[in-house]
Amino acid sequence: MLRRLLSDYDYYLRIERGMSPNTVKSYLSDVSELFAFLKKEDPKEIKTDDIIDYISKVTTIAPSGAGKSHKDEGGISKRSQSRMLSALRSFFGWLILEGEIKENPCDGIDSPKLGRYLPSVLSVEEVEAIMDSVPLTTSQGIRDRAILEVMYGCGLRVSECTTLKISDVYLDEGFIRVVGKGNKERVVPIGDVAIECVKDYLACRGESDPDADDIMFINKFGKPLSRVSMFTLVKKQAMAAGIRKEISPHTFRHSFATHLIENGADLRVVQEMLGHESILTTEIYTHIDSSTWQAAVLSHHPRNNSEK
């Protein structure tokens, strides 16, 4: 029974909700781990106390491979707890829609309050040092430089960079089309430096598998680059540049947004470029105090500028 429900829930998340493969995988994993812990197959048997008991257990003993970063004392992070509860609440909410159960056992369970988690930000000088550390004497080096310039120059998520298509890169026009979370598309400008690096890479790009003909960045076997390869690349070049911060591909996206804001870019523009649905996400992501942009908005409103 559970296998059938998970299969149907998988379809619901992917097709009806349009969630990304990584999010779907995480949600299914969270639901599966709950049932495995409770040793139950029938959702009707799961009560609120069961969920509270489960959450209590995983917050004191972190599951293998889960919540290893940004941990609270003795268990998985609050962020992981919140995501897990969201997954369970979504699953049981879907079961209600399907007529499988009548009440959501997650109702009444509060998510943990999250602090503001801010990843490392690279300074402009550090970004330049990383770019300069890439040797351009090989085709791989030329490719790696192009990857880093595109990630930083366009603020891409690592998944957006690995799936970027050649046909979606308009070098003459100066923009790229990005397919982000939930298959939502956005258009992002690409700067001159990144354009030149991409041109250099395309001039020496090797042969690709038929399935990867339109994929921009490929490995030496002609296949699309993996997320792991992207993380390895970033860490290797940070080390080569003498940077000791704990960084990842996401750091380039965060630095992209931060540098735009610091140089006077409008928060709404940055929001669109990042592909955020809510401007509050962008405000937190770029660690800009809400009072900053609230004051900017209010100072331009006619009802707040009249002489009193």
Side-chain angles (χ1 to χ4, degrees):
M1 178 182 185
L2 180 59
R3 182 177 296 181
R4 174 184 62 80
L5 290 175
L6 288 177
S7 177
D8 291 345
Y9 183 54
D10 180 9
Y11 179 88
Y12 166 75
L13 293 177
R14 289 186 296 105
I15 306 303
E16 296 187 37
R17 292 285 302 279
M19 288 185 171
S20 70
N22 288 332
T23 302
V24 172
K25 183 178 179 181
S26 294
Y27 271 40
L28 292 174
S29 175
D30 288 333
V31 173
S32 297
E33 288 178 7
L34 168 70
F35 280 88
F37 173 81
L38 297 175
K39 297 180 180 178
K40 294 181 179 180
E41 288 275 327
D42 189 349
K44 295 189 180 93
E45 298 178 3
I46 296 181
K47 308 302 180 185
T48 300
D49 287 344
D50 293 324
I51 302 228
I52 293 175
D53 185 43
Y54 172 64
I55 292 175
S56 176
K57 295 294 184 184
V58 298
T59 54
T60 55
I61 302 176
S64 176
K68 295 278 177 106
S69 61
H70 312 297
K71 285 173 59 178
D72 298 323
E73 291 186 8
I76 64 174
S77 68
K78 289 184 178 180
R79 191 169 297 275
S80 294
Q81 294 173 39
S82 181
R83 186 215 65 212
M84 178 180 63
L85 187 56
S86 293
L88 298 179
R89 185 176 284 116
S90 169
F91 175 70
F92 288 107
W94 169 74
L95 289 176
I96 291 174
L97 293 175
E98 294 295 306
E100 297 284 347
I101 60 175
K102 293 182 179 180
E103 295 181 354
N104 193 324
C106 294
D107 287 348
I109 302 177
D110 294 330
S111 296
K113 293 182 178 180
L114 300 179
R116 291 166 67 95
Y117 164 61
L118 301 175
S120 297
V121 181
L122 296 168
S123 66
V124 174
E125 292 74 22
E126 287 173 329
V127 171
E128 291 176 348
I130 290 177
M131 300 302 183
D132 291 340
S133 73
V134 183
L136 301 179
T137 54
T138 65
S139 58
Q140 179 178 326
I142 294 172
R143 181 205 65 188
D144 291 350
R145 177 65 179 268
I147 289 172
L148 295 173
E149 290 287 0
V150 169
M151 276 201 301
Y152 172 65
C154 301
L156 302 188
R157 300 179 177 95
V158 62
S159 58
E160 294 169 348
C161 196
T162 57
T163 58
L164 182 64
K165 295 181 179 179
I166 296 175
S167 59
D168 286 337
V169 177
Y170 300 86
L171 298 178
D172 292 337
E173 292 81 3
F175 69 88
I176 65 174
R177 190 173 69 93
V178 182
V179 180
K181 289 185 176 181
N183 289 323
K184 294 181 179 178
E185 297 181 3
R186 67 183 189 278
V187 174
V188 180
I190 179 171
D192 293 339
V193 175
I195 287 174
E196 291 306 313
C197 287
V198 170
K199 286 181 177 179
D200 291 341
Y201 163 65
L202 290 175
C204 66
R205 181 179 180 271
E207 293 186 4
S208 61
D209 277 1
D211 293 339
D213 277 347
D214 197 29
I215 297 296
M216 174 64 75
F217 300 115
I218 57 175
N219 60 25
K220 61 182 179 181
F221 302 108
K223 299 180 181 296
L225 285 172
S226 66
R227 292 169 59 91
V228 173
S229 297
M230 291 289 194
F231 276 81
T232 301
L233 164 61
V234 168
K235 290 183 179 296
K236 179 184 72 173
Q237 294 311 143
M239 186 174 295
I243 294 171
R244 298 293 176 252
K245 292 179 180 177
E246 186 65 29
I247 71 170
S248 69
H250 187 76
T251 308
F252 282 88
R253 175 173 161 86
H254 186 66
S255 301
F256 157 85
T258 301
H259 295 163
L260 285 179
I261 295 293
E262 288 177 346
N263 283 283
D266 183 86
L267 201 62
R268 292 287 183 185
V269 173
V270 177
Q271 176 192 358
E272 291 182 12
M273 293 181 70
L274 293 173
H276 287 159
E277 290 188 5
S278 170
I279 196 168
L280 294 178
T281 305
T282 312
E283 183 268 320
I284 294 172
Y285 190 59
T286 51
H287 59 82
I288 301 298
D289 191 302
S290 60
S291 62
T292 301
W293 56 267
Q294 284 177 340
V297 171
L298 293 176
S299 68
H300 290 85
H301 195 285
R303 297 289 288 179
N304 292 302
N305 284 311
S306 58
E307 294 183 4
K308 295 181 180 180

